[in-house]
Amino acid sequence: VRRFVILGQKARASADFLLADIPSTSGRLDVLLRALRAGLLVSHGVRRDTLVYLVLLGDPAQRRVLRFEGAAARYLRPDERSLASTCKKALLTECAADGFTPVRAGIAVADGGMESLWPELRDCALYVLEPGAADIRHSSIEEAETAFILGDHIGLEPATRAWCAEHGARFVSVGPTALYTEDVIAIVANELDRRAAQGG
Ligand SMILES: C[S@@+](CC[C@H](N)C(=O)[O-])C[C@H]1O[C@@H](n2cnc3c(N)ncnc32)[C@H](O)[C@@H]1O
Protein backbone atom coordinates (compact mmCIF):
# COMPACT_ATOMS: atom_id res chain seq x y z
CA VAL A 1 0.00 0.00 0.00
CA ARG A 2 1.23 3.48 -0.89
CA ARG A 3 0.60 6.44 1.34
CA PHE A 4 1.08 10.12 0.57
CA VAL A 5 1.19 12.48 3.53
CA ILE A 6 0.89 16.17 2.66
CA LEU A 7 1.54 18.76 5.34
CA GLY A 8 -0.42 21.97 4.93
CA GLN A 9 1.26 24.56 7.09
CA LYS A 10 -1.40 27.20 6.48
CA ALA A 11 -4.41 25.01 5.69
CA ARG A 12 -6.98 25.37 8.46
CA ALA A 13 -8.96 22.43 9.86
CA SER A 14 -12.23 24.33 9.58
CA ALA A 15 -15.23 23.98 7.28
CA ASP A 16 -15.55 27.73 7.35
CA PHE A 17 -14.18 28.53 3.89
CA LEU A 18 -15.75 29.60 0.61
CA LEU A 19 -16.02 27.12 -2.24
CA ALA A 20 -15.96 30.13 -4.57
CA ASP A 21 -12.58 31.26 -3.23
CA ILE A 22 -10.77 28.27 -1.73
CA PRO A 23 -7.19 29.62 -1.86
CA SER A 24 -7.70 32.80 0.10
CA THR A 25 -10.34 31.58 2.57
CA SER A 26 -8.94 28.19 3.60
CA GLY A 27 -5.19 28.75 4.07
CA ARG A 28 -4.41 27.27 0.64
CA LEU A 29 -6.38 24.05 0.95
CA ASP A 30 -6.36 24.11 -2.87
CA VAL A 31 -2.71 22.97 -2.83
CA LEU A 32 -3.68 19.93 -0.77
CA LEU A 33 -6.74 19.17 -2.90
CA ARG A 34 -4.62 19.01 -6.06
CA ALA A 35 -2.20 16.75 -4.21
CA LEU A 36 -5.11 14.53 -3.19
CA ARG A 37 -6.27 14.26 -6.78
CA ALA A 38 -2.77 13.45 -8.00
CA GLY A 39 -2.27 10.79 -5.34
CA LEU A 40 -5.63 9.06 -5.37
CA LEU A 41 -7.32 9.53 -8.72
CA VAL A 42 -6.40 8.26 -12.16
CA SER A 43 -8.24 8.64 -15.44
CA HIS A 44 -11.71 7.17 -14.78
CA GLY A 45 -10.79 5.60 -11.48
CA VAL A 46 -9.31 5.51 -8.00
CA ARG A 47 -5.99 3.99 -7.00
CA ARG A 48 -7.18 1.18 -4.76
CA ASP A 49 -3.69 0.65 -3.34
CA THR A 50 -3.27 4.22 -2.10
CA LEU A 51 -4.06 6.31 0.97
CA VAL A 52 -3.69 10.08 1.07
CA TYR A 53 -3.45 12.05 4.30
CA LEU A 54 -3.99 15.82 4.34
CA VAL A 55 -2.46 17.25 7.50
CA LEU A 56 -4.09 20.60 8.30
CA LEU A 57 -1.75 22.59 10.51
CA GLY A 58 -2.85 26.18 9.80
CA ASP A 59 -4.50 26.75 13.18
CA PRO A 60 -2.31 25.56 16.08
CA ALA A 61 -5.44 25.41 18.30
CA GLN A 62 -7.12 22.91 15.98
CA ARG A 63 -4.92 20.64 13.92
CA ARG A 64 -6.54 17.76 12.07
CA VAL A 65 -5.78 15.04 9.54
CA LEU A 66 -8.12 13.98 6.74
CA ARG A 67 -7.59 10.43 5.48
CA PHE A 68 -8.69 9.23 2.04
CA GLU A 69 -8.50 5.51 1.37
CA GLY A 70 -8.63 4.46 -2.27
CA ALA A 71 -9.73 0.90 -1.45
CA ALA A 72 -12.99 2.14 0.07
CA ALA A 73 -13.59 5.60 -1.43
CA ARG A 74 -16.67 6.11 -3.62
CA TYR A 75 -17.90 8.98 -5.75
CA LEU A 76 -14.79 11.14 -5.57
CA ARG A 77 -14.81 13.61 -8.42
CA PRO A 78 -11.51 15.04 -9.63
CA ASP A 79 -12.35 18.74 -9.67
CA GLU A 80 -11.04 20.92 -6.88
CA ARG A 81 -14.41 22.35 -5.94
CA SER A 82 -16.00 18.96 -5.50
CA LEU A 83 -13.04 17.69 -3.43
CA ALA A 84 -13.23 20.89 -1.37
CA SER A 85 -16.90 20.26 -0.72
CA THR A 86 -16.07 16.71 0.45
CA CYS A 87 -13.42 18.12 2.82
CA LYS A 88 -15.84 20.75 4.09
CA LYS A 89 -18.34 18.06 5.09
CA ALA A 90 -15.60 15.93 6.65
CA LEU A 91 -14.39 18.88 8.72
CA LEU A 92 -17.84 19.24 10.27
CA THR A 93 -17.45 15.78 11.82
CA GLU A 94 -16.67 15.61 15.50
CA CYS A 95 -13.53 13.54 16.11
CA ALA A 96 -13.31 10.72 18.62
CA ALA A 97 -10.73 11.25 21.37
CA ASP A 98 -8.33 8.80 19.74
CA GLY A 99 -7.63 7.72 16.19
CA PHE A 100 -9.66 8.29 13.04
CA THR A 101 -13.41 8.89 13.00
CA PRO A 102 -15.16 7.63 9.85
CA VAL A 103 -16.97 10.31 7.84
CA ARG A 104 -18.19 8.22 4.90
CA ALA A 105 -16.81 5.29 2.91
CA GLY A 106 -13.06 5.76 2.54
CA ILE A 107 -12.88 9.11 4.33
CA ALA A 108 -11.99 9.68 7.97
CA VAL A 109 -10.78 12.51 10.17
CA ALA A 110 -8.59 12.68 13.28
CA ASP A 111 -7.54 15.41 15.66
CA GLY A 112 -3.85 16.27 15.87
CA GLY A 113 -0.90 16.77 13.57
CA MET A 114 1.85 14.51 12.31
CA GLU A 115 2.20 12.71 15.65
CA SER A 116 -1.42 11.49 15.43
CA LEU A 117 -0.44 9.67 12.24
CA TRP A 118 2.33 7.64 13.78
CA PRO A 119 0.11 4.59 14.53
CA GLU A 120 -0.68 4.48 10.78
CA LEU A 121 2.91 5.00 9.66
CA ARG A 122 4.93 3.00 12.15
CA ASP A 123 5.09 -0.11 9.93
CA CYS A 124 5.87 1.82 6.75
CA ALA A 125 9.11 2.63 5.01
CA LEU A 126 9.12 6.44 5.22
CA TYR A 127 10.39 8.70 2.44
CA VAL A 128 10.57 12.49 2.64
CA LEU A 129 10.37 14.20 -0.74
CA GLU A 130 12.88 17.00 -1.00
CA PRO A 131 14.52 18.63 -4.02
CA GLY A 132 18.21 17.83 -4.32
CA ALA A 133 18.07 14.69 -2.13
CA ALA A 134 19.01 11.26 -3.52
CA ASP A 135 17.29 10.64 -6.87
CA ILE A 136 14.29 8.32 -6.40
CA ARG A 137 15.00 6.85 -9.85
CA HIS A 138 18.22 5.37 -8.52
CA SER A 139 16.94 4.53 -5.04
CA SER A 140 15.49 1.27 -3.85
CA ILE A 141 11.94 1.74 -2.62
CA GLU A 142 10.16 -0.78 -0.45
CA GLU A 143 7.34 -2.48 -2.31
CA ALA A 144 4.97 -3.34 0.52
CA GLU A 145 4.11 -0.54 2.93
CA THR A 146 5.42 2.88 1.96
CA ALA A 147 4.68 6.45 3.02
CA PHE A 148 5.85 9.51 1.09
CA ILE A 149 5.85 12.79 3.01
CA LEU A 150 5.62 16.13 1.23
CA GLY A 151 5.26 19.80 2.05
CA ASP A 152 2.82 22.34 0.64
CA HIS A 153 3.64 25.58 -1.21
CA ILE A 154 5.82 26.64 1.74
CA GLY A 155 7.69 23.36 2.12
CA LEU A 156 8.44 21.28 5.19
CA GLU A 157 9.28 22.86 8.52
CA PRO A 158 12.70 21.95 9.99
CA ALA A 159 10.90 20.35 12.97
CA THR A 160 8.97 18.05 10.63
CA ARG A 161 12.13 17.09 8.74
CA ALA A 162 13.79 16.32 12.07
CA TRP A 163 10.76 14.25 13.24
CA CYS A 164 10.87 12.25 10.02
CA ALA A 165 14.62 11.68 10.28
CA GLU A 166 14.24 10.53 13.91
CA HIS A 167 11.59 8.06 12.76
CA GLY A 168 13.90 6.53 10.17
CA ALA A 169 12.78 8.34 7.03
CA ARG A 170 14.97 8.47 3.95
CA PHE A 171 15.18 11.66 1.90
CA VAL A 172 14.61 11.33 -1.84
CA SER A 173 13.98 13.69 -4.75
CA VAL A 174 12.39 13.61 -8.16
CA GLY A 175 15.17 15.81 -9.50
CA PRO A 176 16.96 19.06 -8.75
CA THR A 177 14.13 21.49 -9.55
CA ALA A 178 11.56 22.41 -6.89
CA LEU A 179 8.17 21.40 -8.29
CA TYR A 180 4.58 21.75 -7.14
CA THR A 181 3.53 19.14 -4.59
CA GLU A 182 0.93 17.62 -6.91
CA ASP A 183 3.49 17.21 -9.70
CA VAL A 184 5.93 15.49 -7.35
CA ILE A 185 3.21 13.05 -6.32
CA ALA A 186 2.37 12.30 -9.96
CA ILE A 187 6.04 11.58 -10.69
CA VAL A 188 6.45 9.35 -7.63
CA ALA A 189 3.27 7.43 -8.46
CA ASN A 190 4.46 7.02 -12.04
CA GLU A 191 7.87 5.81 -10.87
CA LEU A 192 6.17 3.18 -8.65
CA ASP A 193 3.76 2.19 -11.45
CA ARG A 194 6.69 1.61 -13.81
CA ARG A 195 8.55 -0.47 -11.26
CA ALA A 196 5.44 -2.53 -10.53
CA ALA A 197 4.90 -3.08 -14.26
CA GLN A 198 8.49 -4.30 -14.56
CA GLY A 199 8.01 -6.63 -11.63
CA GLY A 200 9.52 -4.43 -8.88
C1 LIG B 1 6.38 23.77 -3.91
S1 LIG B 1 7.45 22.66 -3.05
C2 LIG B 1 7.93 23.65 -1.64
C3 LIG B 1 8.78 24.78 -1.99
C4 LIG B 1 9.32 25.48 -0.79
N1 LIG B 1 9.53 26.84 -1.13
C5 LIG B 1 10.61 24.83 -0.31
O1 LIG B 1 11.63 25.44 -0.50
O2 LIG B 1 10.60 23.72 0.24
C6 LIG B 1 6.33 21.54 -2.35
C7 LIG B 1 6.84 20.23 -1.84
O3 LIG B 1 7.06 19.36 -2.93
C8 LIG B 1 8.17 18.53 -2.67
N2 LIG B 1 9.13 18.76 -3.75
C9 LIG B 1 9.19 19.80 -4.59
N3 LIG B 1 10.14 19.61 -5.52
C10 LIG B 1 10.67 18.41 -5.28
C11 LIG B 1 11.69 17.63 -5.90
N4 LIG B 1 12.37 18.06 -6.97
N5 LIG B 1 11.98 16.43 -5.38
C12 LIG B 1 11.31 15.95 -4.31
N6 LIG B 1 10.35 16.65 -3.68
C13 LIG B 1 10.03 17.86 -4.15
C14 LIG B 1 8.68 18.85 -1.30
O4 LIG B 1 8.13 17.94 -0.38
C15 LIG B 1 8.14 20.26 -1.09
O5 LIG B 1 7.93 20.53 0.28
Side-chain angles (χ1 to χ4, degrees):
V1 173
R2 304 173 186 173
R3 294 167 181 80
F4 291 101
V5 179
I6 304 107
L7 290 119
Q9 290 201 45
K10 297 287 175 200
R12 289 184 295 277
S14 157
D16 187 17
F17 62 85
L18 298 176
L19 290 176
D21 186 6
I22 302 163
S24 34
T25 59
S26 66
R28 296 303 310 270
L29 183 65
D30 59 305
V31 173
L32 276 64
L33 298 174
R34 289 193 292 275
L36 169 63
R37 192 211 52 74
L40 205 64
L41 302 181
V42 288
S43 180
H44 301 298
V46 176
R47 287 185 182 275
R48 298 280 167 213
D49 64 348
T50 299
L51 288 125
V52 176
Y53 300 88
L54 304 184
V55 187
L56 310 174
L57 303 172
D59 176 2
Q62 192 191 31
R63 298 174 305 151
R64 282 181 148 190
V65 183
L66 293 172
R67 183 182 70 193
F68 297 82
E69 193 177 2
R74 301 281 176 275
Y75 315 116
L76 279 181
R77 299 215 323 247
D79 63 285
E80 231 170 275
R81 191 185 165 100
S82 158
L83 292 174
S85 169
T86 301
C87 289
K88 210 183 218 311
K89 286 177 200 147
L91 288 169
L92 291 170
T93 306
E94 199 153 316
C95 292
D98 257 338
F100 278 88
T101 304
V103 174
R104 60 174 234 215
I107 303 178
V109 59
D111 276 333
M114 196 65 192
E115 73 291 343
S116 67
L117 267 185
W118 182 238
E120 305 247 330
L121 302 184
R122 63 156 51 98
D123 295 327
C124 297
L126 301 182
Y127 300 91
V128 174
L129 270 300
E130 186 169 88
D135 193 331
I136 196 170
R137 190 152 294 176
H138 307 301
S139 304
S140 68
I141 301 288
E142 293 291 328
E143 281 169 49
E145 300 294 330
T146 51
F148 298 90
I149 299 162
L150 301 99
D152 58 2
H153 58 298
I154 300 173
L156 289 175
E157 275 197 318
T160 306
R161 288 185 79 259
W163 185 93
C164 292
E166 276 162 29
H167 288 80
R170 289 169 53 198
F171 289 70
V172 291
S173 84
V174 295
T177 307
L179 304 174
Y180 289 118
T181 308
E182 76 224 64
D183 294 337
V184 176
I185 291 175
I187 293 170
V188 171
N190 178 261
E191 183 69 29
L192 300 180
D193 288 349
R194 286 166 178 267
R195 290 183 193 203
Q198 288 162 9

